[in-house]
Amino acid sequence: MRLGSLRQLTLGSFVLALVPLIALLWQSQHDLAKVGRMTSIETRYVVTVVGLMQQLDAAAIDLERSIRQFVVLESNAVADLTDNALLQFIDAKKSLCKALEDSQTCIRLDNHISQLKAFRRIDDQFLMNTYLASLNSSVASMRGDVDLAIQQRLAIQKEDLNTMQAKQAWSTAMLVSVSLLLILLGSQLIVNPVKKLKQIIRILAQQEGELPPLSTHAPRELIGVERDLHWLAERLQQLEHIRTALLRHAAHELKTPLASIKEGCSLLSDNVVGRLNPQQVEVLGLLTSSTQRLNQLVEKLLDYNLLLQQAQPTFAQVDVSRLLKECLEDYALALQDREVTVDLQVETILIDEELYRRILDNLISNAVAHGAVGRPINVSIYMKRDKAILDVANRGKRIPAESVEKLFEPFTRGEDPRNDNVIGTGLGLSIVSDCARLMHGDVAVVDVDYADVCFRVTIPQKEMV
């Protein structure tokens, strides 16, 4: 399934999440209307039943009064009024019994009515009083039946309301849960592509691993951003290949004319083409010195190029005293007027020998180039918390704090002039930083009390016993 735009996905998710809430609102309105109808019906029933009971009470009172008047007067006019009162009582009883339906009192009232219909022939006053007393008792029982019927209807209504309330609670919980799930689903459709974009950016920043394939289930805008990031990765890779090739080719092409110049200088210095006068010897010395400096710059360029191409270091136990001795021998001429203090507290450390040698070469070369002339250089290698520490310190002008952050970037040169009058490439300290990083370590400028500038290289010794 191909998702639409980010706006469509957002609006669609919002509308989809509203569907359960709309259903809940509709059900609530339906239940509320049902409660309203139920309340209206029950209210009308109560009012109707109470009104019929009042009519029955009034009819019973009129009937009793008419019968007692007939017993005293025994006139036809009073008898007609009694018959009329009896009919009104019968009508009120029928209406009330129709509303109550299952009342047993209605049967007794029918018997009382049958007895009272013969009121003209009843001469016994005691018997008439008995009939009237039974009628009043049955009417009173009818009041109890009315109250019971009302209580039963209220109980049924309460039970229905409780059932409806429970149904409403379950429906609310279910529909709100569905709505939340839909919201989470819609947000996940947006969050997952964003997480993938963050993963791609992290891979590009760390330059490690391959990029994941393009997404097919994501909004068009995010797919477009992902496609642009893939294009950016390809472009960065092309630029990296161009840079590496440029460094490799430039260093290689410089070697050829440099070798010819060195060979020519050698022939001239050996007097192969004839003896040279003092002025020519002086010029030849300048050419030879410049050729050596140019050769050093080319070697650093090649060294940085090889460092960029190295993938994984090879760790082994290395004799640091031997490694440091070889390095100092290579810089014997540059160090002939300086004192080098060496402090080795460990004999072997776990490192990549080639990378560590590059670190030593560049740090000692940096100390010679930027340290004060005639002042000592301190080299210390020791262990601290399962880490091999290398300190190379020299006297001279301190490095400003604002320059430390950019000090290890490629092609960044210091502002102070070098002691050897060689124009540096700005690669030495960047090579140190990259070599330390390849060995899972780091390099930093630290403050020490015995020197003005100190570079500290820290290499973890995780496999040291």
Side-chain angles (χ1 to χ4, degrees):
M1 181 184 65
R2 186 68 177 268
L3 297 178
S5 65
L6 186 60
R7 177 180 297 178
Q8 291 175 351
L9 178 60
T10 304
L11 292 178
S13 301
F14 180 74
V15 172
L16 191 62
L18 284 180
V19 170
L21 299 180
I22 294 174
L24 178 62
L25 181 61
W26 177 83
Q27 182 179 352
S28 300
Q29 292 294 331
H30 179 269
D31 291 342
L32 185 61
K34 185 177 179 180
V35 170
R37 291 193 300 270
M38 184 186 304
T39 302
S40 177
I41 292 173
E42 296 301 324
T43 302
R44 286 200 301 269
Y45 175 79
V46 170
V47 172
T48 301
V49 170
V50 171
L52 292 175
M53 187 65 227
Q54 291 177 349
Q55 292 179 5
L56 184 65
D57 285 337
I61 293 174
D62 291 341
L63 178 60
E64 182 179 2
R65 183 174 61 250
S66 298
I67 290 175
R68 291 190 183 280
Q69 289 177 353
F70 176 77
V71 170
V72 174
L73 300 176
E74 292 184 357
S75 65
N76 292 329
V78 175
D80 292 338
L81 291 175
T82 302
D83 290 335
N84 187 33
L86 186 60
L87 290 175
Q88 291 180 357
F89 181 81
I90 293 173
D91 291 339
K93 187 271 300 178
K94 287 182 179 179
S95 299
L96 183 59
C97 290
K98 184 178 180 181
L100 296 179
E101 295 181 354
D102 297 332
S103 177
Q104 297 296 324
T105 307
C106 293
I107 299 175
R108 296 202 302 270
L109 287 176
D110 290 336
N111 295 330
H112 297 323
I113 291 172
S114 298
Q115 293 171 353
L116 292 176
K117 283 183 178 180
F119 67 91
R120 291 182 177 86
R121 297 187 297 273
I122 298 175
D123 296 331
D124 190 350
Q125 182 69 28
F126 179 77
L127 181 60
M128 180 62 69
N129 291 334
T130 302
Y131 286 163
L132 292 175
S134 298
L135 178 64
N136 291 329
S137 176
S138 297
V139 171
S141 297
M142 183 63 72
R143 294 194 196 95
D145 291 345
V146 169
D147 293 339
L148 180 61
I150 292 174
Q151 293 297 327
Q152 289 177 348
R153 296 290 291 262
L154 291 177
I156 294 174
Q157 184 179 8
K158 184 177 180 181
E159 184 178 355
D160 290 341
L161 290 176
N162 291 335
T163 302
M164 192 177 301
Q165 186 177 4
K167 178 184 176 182
Q168 185 71 20
W170 280 106
S171 299
T172 301
M174 182 181 67
L175 292 176
V176 169
S177 300
V178 172
S179 182
L180 290 176
L181 289 176
L182 292 175
I183 292 174
L184 292 176
L185 177 61
S187 62
Q188 201 67 23
L189 292 176
I190 300 176
V191 170
N192 286 338
V194 173
K195 287 183 178 179
K196 191 173 182 181
L197 293 178
K198 291 177 62 178
Q199 179 186 2
I200 294 174
I201 294 174
R202 191 178 301 111
I203 292 175
L204 290 177
Q206 298 176 353
Q207 296 182 355
E208 296 179 356
E210 296 183 357
L211 296 182
L214 283 172
S215 301
T216 56
H217 305 287
R220 287 196 298 267
E221 293 86 350
L222 298 182
I223 291 179
V225 174
E226 187 176 347
R227 188 180 295 109
D228 292 341
L229 288 176
H230 276 261
W231 173 85
L232 178 60
E234 294 177 359
R235 183 60 178 167
L236 290 176
Q237 190 174 8
Q238 292 174 0
L239 293 176
E240 182 67 21
H241 290 329
I242 293 174
R243 184 184 68 165
T244 304
L246 179 61
L247 289 174
R248 184 173 62 251
H249 293 164
H252 177 73
E253 293 299 328
L254 286 174
K255 279 288 187 177
T256 302
L258 183 60
S260 299
I261 296 174
K262 289 177 65 177
E263 183 64 25
C265 291
S266 178
L267 292 175
L268 291 174
S269 63
D270 293 339
N271 295 321
V272 175
V273 295
R275 296 188 61 83
L276 303 177
N277 57 41
Q279 291 81 7
Q280 291 173 336
V281 171
E282 183 180 359
V283 173
L284 180 60
L286 294 175
L287 288 174
T288 303
S289 176
S290 298
T291 303
Q292 291 176 352
R293 289 196 298 269
L294 181 58
N295 185 67
Q296 291 178 358
L297 295 179
V298 172
E299 290 294 339
K300 283 194 174 183
L301 196 60
L302 281 172
D303 196 34
Y304 187 67
N305 182 52
L306 291 174
L307 182 63
L308 291 176
Q309 295 177 350
Q310 181 165 351
Q312 293 295 332
T314 302
F315 290 94
Q317 296 288 345
V318 178
D319 184 0
V320 291
S321 61
R322 173 187 60 82
L323 196 63
L324 184 57
K325 181 180 179 182
E326 294 175 355
C327 181
L328 293 177
E329 288 177 353
D330 292 342
Y331 288 90
L333 292 177
L335 296 172
Q336 61 184 357
D337 60 343
R338 297 177 184 236
E339 177 187 356
V340 179
T341 302
V342 178
D343 180 17
L344 297 179
Q345 299 182 13
V346 292
E347 296 181 358
T348 60
I349 57 176
L350 186 66
I351 53 174
D352 183 293
E353 183 173 353
E354 180 64 25
L355 294 177
Y356 207 75
R357 175 59 187 271
R358 292 177 185 173
I359 291 175
L360 288 173
D361 286 340
N362 285 282
L363 287 182
I364 293 176
S365 174
N366 186 78
V368 172
H370 297 282
V373 178
R375 302 296 301 279
I377 298 174
N378 300 92
V379 180
S380 303
I381 300 178
Y382 55 94
M383 294 294 297
K384 184 178 181 181
R385 297 179 181 176
D386 296 332
K387 293 181 180 180
I389 309 297
L390 166 65
D391 287 348
V392 178
N394 62 270
R395 280 73 176 171
K397 187 176 181 179
R398 292 183 178 273
I399 301 175
E402 60 272 12
S403 301
V404 173
E405 295 182 358
K406 298 182 179 180
L407 199 61
F408 301 100
E409 296 180 0
F411 306 105
T412 300
R413 297 192 298 268
E415 298 179 356
D416 298 331
R418 294 167 60 97
N419 297 328
D420 51 8
N421 295 324
V422 175
I423 300 176
T425 60
L427 292 175
L429 292 179
S430 68
I431 291 176
V432 173
S433 177
D434 291 337
C435 289
R437 177 180 53 81
L438 288 173
M439 291 187 289
H440 312 293
D442 56 24
V443 60
V445 179
V446 297
D447 294 329
V448 293
D449 55 359
Y450 58 86
D452 298 317
V453 179
C454 180
F455 289 91
R456 176 168 295 172
V457 179
T458 304
I459 308 297
Q461 303 288 290
K462 296 183 179 179
E463 299 181 12
M464 288 288 288
V465 180

